[in-house]
Amino acid sequence: MSLAIFSSSLKSSALKSVRVSSSITSRPASASIWSQRFYSTENKDNKDTAAGQEAAAAPAGEAKTEEEQKNTAHEEALAAKDKQLAEVKDRLLRTLADMENLRQRTAKEVANTKDYAIQKFAKDLLDTADILNMAIKNVPQDEIAETSSNNHLKSLHTGVAMTRDELLKTFKRYGVESFDPMNEKFDPNLHQANFQVPIPGKEPGTVFDVQKIGFMIKGRVLRPAQVGVVQSTD
């Protein structure tokens, strides 16, 4: 019985030794597998990190390109707006200039209308002034002299002269003025030559007779003076 127990104990010890040795022998393989797994995982992580960096770098480049495109588009939009603003400013200045010219022309037309409103009316009264002048000129001077006894004619002459003078004053108040070019140089802009006569001792082209005096309104000829001019003898 003791031998059987010892034999059993010996077998048990042998089995334990085999198990321990197997376990020791199998440990390097497990460590190697673990190391391979660790390095594999590390390499994978490194690759993933590099790939992530590359992926991050790629969108950054794309984002930079998109940012540049946005900046370019923004600059082009600003340039277009500046051009449009310049065109609008130019049109505005032209419009203001046209409005100012229109205002000045309108003001000038209003002033001319006001100044020359009585032109037709005054021109119609010129015949009356001419008749009064003719009546005064055709009275013999000796008949209206102080020594003359023809008081009625003198009174009539005085009344006609006063009427003529008052009419000319009324004309002048409204900008219509008369002018008598006697002995002046003939001016075709102011005078109308009805006839020419050579007169010795007088300079050719000089007015020597005034049939009708001239009239001007605001510096503009309303009616030229009707005159006789000295003719050249050449």
Side-chain angles (χ1 to χ4, degrees):
M1 184 175 178
S2 299
L3 286 170
I5 294 170
F6 178 77
S7 177
S8 176
S9 172
L10 184 61
K11 289 180 179 181
S12 177
S13 298
L15 289 170
K16 286 181 180 181
S17 298
V18 171
R19 288 176 182 175
V20 168
S21 128
S22 298
S23 64
I24 293 171
T25 304
S26 62
R27 278 181 184 176
S30 299
S32 176
I33 293 171
W34 183 84
S35 298
Q36 290 176 358
R37 288 180 179 177
F38 176 76
Y39 289 126
S40 175
T41 304
E42 185 178 4
N43 291 334
K44 184 178 181 181
D45 292 340
N46 291 335
K47 290 180 180 179
D48 291 342
T49 302
Q53 290 177 353
E54 292 177 357
E62 293 177 358
K64 186 176 181 181
T65 303
E66 292 178 357
E67 186 69 22
E68 291 177 352
Q69 291 177 354
K70 289 181 180 179
N71 290 335
T72 302
H74 185 62
E75 290 176 357
E76 291 177 353
L78 286 177
K81 290 294 182 182
D82 291 340
K83 183 178 179 181
Q84 185 178 6
L85 181 61
E87 292 176 354
V88 171
K89 184 178 179 181
D90 183 66
R91 288 198 298 268
L92 178 60
L93 292 177
R94 290 178 182 273
T95 302
L96 291 176
D98 291 339
M99 292 297 294
E100 180 63 20
N101 292 334
L102 178 61
R103 186 191 67 80
Q104 292 179 359
R105 287 197 303 268
T106 303
K108 186 176 181 180
E109 289 176 359
V110 170
N112 289 338
T113 301
K114 182 179 179 181
D115 291 339
Y116 303 111
I118 65 167
Q119 180 173 347
K120 188 176 183 303
F121 177 72
K123 200 168 185 178
D124 291 338
L125 289 177
L126 296 184
D127 291 336
T128 303
D130 293 337
I131 293 171
L132 294 174
N133 279 327
M134 288 176 64
I136 294 171
K137 287 175 64 176
N138 289 329
V139 175
Q141 293 298 315
D142 57 348
E143 294 292 334
I144 57 175
E146 293 183 359
T147 58
S148 175
S149 60
N150 196 346
N151 295 326
H152 296 289
L153 183 58
K154 287 195 292 185
S155 297
L156 180 60
H157 180 271
T158 301
V160 172
M162 292 176 62
T163 304
R164 191 271 314 267
D165 294 341
E166 191 62 31
L167 179 60
L168 294 179
K169 289 179 182 178
T170 303
F171 280 160
K172 192 172 183 178
R173 282 199 299 269
Y174 290 93
V176 179
E177 297 186 14
S178 63
F179 62 93
D180 188 345
M182 178 64 74
N183 296 322
E184 293 181 2
K185 193 72 175 177
F186 176 76
D187 185 351
N189 296 317
L190 301 175
H191 312 146
Q192 177 182 338
N194 290 341
F195 60 94
Q196 289 182 327
V197 176
I199 301 177
K202 282 190 174 290
E203 183 182 358
T206 303
V207 176
F208 74 92
D209 181 62
V210 178
Q211 293 181 321
K212 290 184 179 181
I213 61 175
F215 288 89
M216 300 184 71
I217 178 170
K218 299 292 184 179
R220 179 188 297 179
V221 177
L222 183 62
R223 189 193 70 186
Q226 297 181 13
V227 299
V229 182
V230 177
Q231 187 178 12
S232 175
T233 57
D234 294 340

